[in-house]
Amino acid sequence: DTVPPQVVPGADPSARQLCFAWGPAEVLVCETLFGRAGGFRSPLLSRSPCPSRSPCPSRFWGEDSAGATARALTGSVAGTEDGAPSSTRVFVVRRDQDIYIHTLRKLFNESHGIFMGLQRSEDELAGKSRKAQLVQVSKNYRSVIRACMEDMHQAAVSTRDPALQGQYSTQVSILSAMELIWNLCEILFVEAATAGPLLLRLLDWVRLHVCDVDSMVREVLSSESPSKHKLFWNVVDVFVLQGRMDEARHLLSKEASANPASMNMYRILDELMKKMPVPSLGNTQTLTELELKWQHWHEECQRYLQDGTFASNPHMESICKILLGDEDAILEKKELMTTWYHFLVTRLLYSHPTVKPMELRFYAQSSMDLFLGGEGSPEPLDMILMAAFEFEMHQVIKECSIVLSNWWFVAHLTDLLDHCKLLQSHNLYFGSNMREFLLLEYASGLFSHHSLWQLGVDYFDHCPEFGRVYLELHIERIPLSTEQKALKVLRICEQRQMHEQVRSICKIMAMKALRNNRLGSALSWSIRAKDAAFATLISDRFLKDYCEKGCFSDLDLIDNLGPSMLLSDRLTFLGKYREFHRLYGEKRFAEAARLLLTLMTAHIAPCSFWMTLLTDALPLLEQKEVIFSAEQTYELMRCLEDLTAGNPDKQKFQDDDVETTKVEMLRLALARNLARVIVKEGTVEGS
Amino acid sequence: AMEDVSAKFVSQKISRTRWRPLPAAALQPPDLFATGSWDNEDNRISIWSAGDLGNAGLNGEYHGEPHLLCDIQHNGDVMDMQFLDQERIVVASSTGAVTIFRHHQNNQTLSADHRWAKAHYHVDQDTSCGGAACTGVVCSNPEIVTVGEDGRINLFRADQKDAVRTIDNADSSTLHAVTFLRTTEILTVNSIGQLKIWDLRQQRNEPSQIFSLAGDRVPLHCVDRHPNQQHIVATGGQDGMLSIWDIRQGTMPVSLLNAHEAEMWEVHFHPSDPDHLFTCSEDGSLWHWDTSTNVSEKPSFLHQGGRSTAYLSHSTMNQSVVSAWLSNDPTKDRMEITNLIPNQTLSVNSLDVLGPCLVYGTDAEAIYVNRQLFA
């Protein structure tokens, strides 16, 4: 396998060399001034990867796949600067184009719920009920695809903008192809239908998806006299080809009553169609019984055909041939089947009703060859279905990854198949398995989206190998526009013990709050992250504000710090210092004095704040009654001397007149207080 | 039951859902609701019809999912939203703006009626980048009160261009929600676990009372007041805890009830049946708290004595003097709690209850309507 060249629309690598920068969600591509690449010129590289797309799923992949191959890269190109010299152009290339389609958000969100349910359901049940559960999950996924398809169809019908209409129609055809593939995978892999039921499931599959003829059927059935309609026999054929016997017989009975002459012929055909043995879903008959009955019926049809019962009516004769599984007769109705896989199922119905899963590949291959008959080569969708019929699951997933314009499909299908225990031993060369690889791709796409990032988290959670690392890388890139959003991101990180990210988010928010002068908010963010250093920083801001203004801001916060006060020493000091002011305000001087002294002697206060504290002691020293005891006064004096003597900024004190005066005043006040207290204590002791 | 719930995926993350209030003597259940979105490149206010009433089934249950009547672009995340009257909705934006939208019912359109562009801002009103998210709005026509990340409280009147009253720096931490306590008093909750009462008649810019959670100051995100017994207040916190406060006494909650595992985004007493309370959370659950189950066991002393008879004469049946919300141990035998959303994974950001109807919206971009809440 060669990897096809990848194309960025608008960038011309044949003219200039490109350089790339890879991000987790996007690739930046820019053209360089580096000279032409010597002789390297590929016609593939200059082709536009966005050809027009036809709305029919079977024809959707009509153009060669080279352009589409680059899907993961060519997604959408944003932010190009046109007209400027090419060296200044930067292309932003996103990995998943469909992530940005508004209507598909319903698909992403609803399937997220199903995905989560599947992860939770892990192995609760065994055997049959587990299989039933998995089939139900598969059906749920499909019904979400169908609901989305209907919405998209409605949107296409109701819009007047032709460009938009084209876009919607393209999406409808992509969704319809996805559902077609998924349904087949459900039958073959998830349910793993066995011989007998397998055919019934395939018939349902064809009936559900071949809807090109539906309008014709409607037209004929709603006409006044269906049997006179020129397409009458076409509709009967459609019913027969799809094995819808009751409907075919109902139509035929109308024709019969209009032709009493050929009554007998109609009766015989009706009888044959009625008697046709079909596999049953229950266990009421064995395959051998069915084969025996079928053999008898087949011989009966053969007899009527050979004795010319239907010779007078070519329509009925051809129906009889179809019942006999005559390949040429069936192929004649090619237009009514529209696809080779319809032909395959019709052929199986009338020739091999008890086909076994493993035999499918032979019939599928020959049906495709016969149906295409050398004209036209198989398209990507054909190759995918063929791979499914061949039970080449990895091939199916690989082809889908290449062709589809989203990761949603392969990621969810692979996850489901993995839960069916069908993909175990397939490890990729870089360590992770295929399921995880695809889920990571899908979730990374979600994270590149403005709103869908929340969904991505749960997908990463279920990638045991690299999910955590991816989440860590992506979550840091979520812009934190409001506190509410930050709280949501934070919750995600906290639940997963992503301490690094928790700290970083809180720090960003605390910084923001600090810049906006919202000290209270800043503090609550650092308390949440238990970020002591930052709490210290904020406390210093409070203290600085206090020193400048002479009063505290945000008292509602500081008075209610509670246990969070213990987060940092500085915060403790802030709380205690405020408590001192409260005590002082309440004239509880003795308590205030004791607290003030402790703040220094227990080294709760930062040295830089000691002068302020000592100055705060002044009014207490000047009170009429003596407050500081002799011992306390000595301690205060020691504090003052430590500060002036041991302080490396001694120079500063000597230069600064105000400071010098303050120190002198303090010394004086302390000395006077000491004198008063000695007298007082002496008196008290002496008495 | 789950089958009564209809869901619709709306391709936008829903931050608020609100029933349109019913006219005074209305007998029908509510039929219209509004939603606001967040975290989209293009956020919207939308008006929805709750479902087709014409399609009522044999048993009277309604089918059909909600369908969009009209919508309008909204600048910034919708942080909060409240109907002012039958036609007007007040919307709080992450840009700091507060807008009144009008729903024109004759031609099903929405238009912006009035806008206070810089209702909430940081530091400087004139700098372009100074907008601070408006986190909560409450109205009692014509008055509108808003709070924000800037710690500011604004009082607007729907018919006046400028704010009637602004309290700058009312709170040093983020105010998360606001509700009316009485006509002139409001309740706010903030990010350091405080519940404050503000009397807007008073000129001083201080709360008249501060209540606070003990221990770790867990942020409070939502608040609602009992519709009949105004002293009973419910708040929800960051840890998912439901706190019930009796604002007549103490400074701490009367009871702490634990059900959610992450932020409780909204709490609502049922407006006409306040024995029922509803809460929703970031953890994807929506709890129905029901204290009405043991009505017969409630003390019956209120039926004796003249004073309580007088009291009874203007109170409703399901309201007892000793409210079940204030009983000492509400978790035991008095309260039944039910999670209305099993298996949900993404956040339920908002809910609203009116009559028998519940509407809620999620980060999984879906809105849900339950029309038979008490069935």
Side-chain angles (χ1 to χ4, degrees), chain A residues 447-514:
Chain A
F447 256 95
S448 73
H449 188 276
H450 186 84
S451 315
L452 293 171
W453 56 274
Q454 270 171 306
L455 296 177
V457 176
D458 287 324
Y459 287 93
F460 283 143
D461 277 351
H462 290 98
C463 295
E465 193 101 24
F466 296 117
R468 169 81 177 208
V469 186
Y470 269 64
L471 182 59
E472 285 173 358
L473 282 174
H474 279 287
I475 203 97
E476 287 184 340
R477 290 171 167 76
I478 301 295
L480 307 171
S481 44
T482 62
E483 289 195 19
Q484 174 115 349
K485 186 167 177 184
L487 287 173
K488 281 176 181 270
V489 178
L490 197 56
R491 175 63 62 181
I492 290 168
C493 297
E494 280 180 350
Q495 277 168 346
R496 289 158 184 79
Q497 276 95 46
M498 293 160 61
H499 304 297
E500 190 73 28
Q501 285 70 23
V502 167
R503 248 214 323 278
S504 118
I505 291 165
C506 289
K507 186 152 262 168
I508 290 168
M509 294 312 288
M511 277 308 285
K512 246 189 209 177
L514 206 57

Side-chain angles (χ1 to χ4, degrees), chain A residues 538-556:
Chain A
I538 297 164
S539 312
D540 282 341
R541 269 283 293 272
F542 273 118
L543 294 170
K544 190 171 141 253
D545 274 9
Y546 169 75
C547 290
E548 280 166 10
K549 293 180 198 153
C551 65
F552 281 103
S553 59
D554 306 298
L555 279 180
D556 58 334

Side-chain angles (χ1 to χ4, degrees), chain A residues 105 109 451 454 488 554, chain B residues 13 39-40 172 349 363 365:
Chain A
R105 281 170 73 160
N109 277 289
S451 315
Q454 270 171 306
K488 281 176 181 270
D554 306 298
Chain B
K13 292 200 274 197
D39 205 29
N40 288 304
S172 45
N349 293 324
D363 274 345
E365 309 194 336

Side-chain angles (χ1 to χ4, degrees), chain B residues 242-254:
Chain B
L242 172 67
S243 310
I244 306 288
W245 313 69
D246 182 348
I247 56 164
R248 295 171 308 187
Q249 50 191 331
T251 57
M252 295 203 297
V254 180

